[in-house]
Amino acid sequence: MQTELSMPASIRGNTSAYMDWVQMLTGAALIVFMWCHMLLVASVNLGTGVFDALAAFLEYTYMAQIGGPMIGVVFLVHFALAIRKIPVTSVQQKGMWNQARMLRHKDTWLWVVQAVTAMIILVMAGVHLWAILTNLPITTAKSAQRIQEGGWFWFYLVLLPMAELHVGIGFYRIGVKWGFVGRRGRKRFQMLEYAITGAFLAIGLVTLFTFATVSL
């Protein structure tokens, strides 16, 4: 069997292109999921009854039981494809840092931030998914108890900005890299990305503090 390295350059190029395409699609799917997920969780700000009703609907339709593991698979596929271009050794990381400092290009620094947040999210999102899926059904009481006990409040206070930065930058880079946004519209598109990231970060912080103050 041929390995990718033993294949002709044209075939390797096609394989890499297909992998980039799948990486983009899985990334876009995760962006949509993260935004929808944040809005669903933020329903607790409208009242605990609203949150519990939505959670019960997800349980009744098996979207939580099936959707959760499916998102986990998409997440792992996306990371497996993205890790090809993320520096993992100390030599590679030093080279990335030196190159970013030398170029002094904003998009290069955005890529650095996305690479760093990806490594943090890999661990923390896995812990989050495990905590949720091993304690079904989802309820306001369970979520509030988890955040108010055992240091989970600080855990989510770190995970929230990491996730929103990664998702926001990913949204911007997909638009630019794949030609959805032209050079002339790049600045406005980036301002849109900043606004969306800031809005979801604010929603997430308000939601986190709501859970932290729910009476158990």
Side-chain angles (χ1 to χ4, degrees), residues 20 43 68 71 120:
D20 283 347
S43 65
I71 289 299
I120 297 172

Side-chain angles (χ1 to χ4, degrees), residues 97-105 109:
W97 179 256
N98 290 335
Q99 184 179 32
R101 292 179 62 187
M102 179 183 65
L103 293 175
R104 297 182 180 180
H105 188 260
W109 280 110

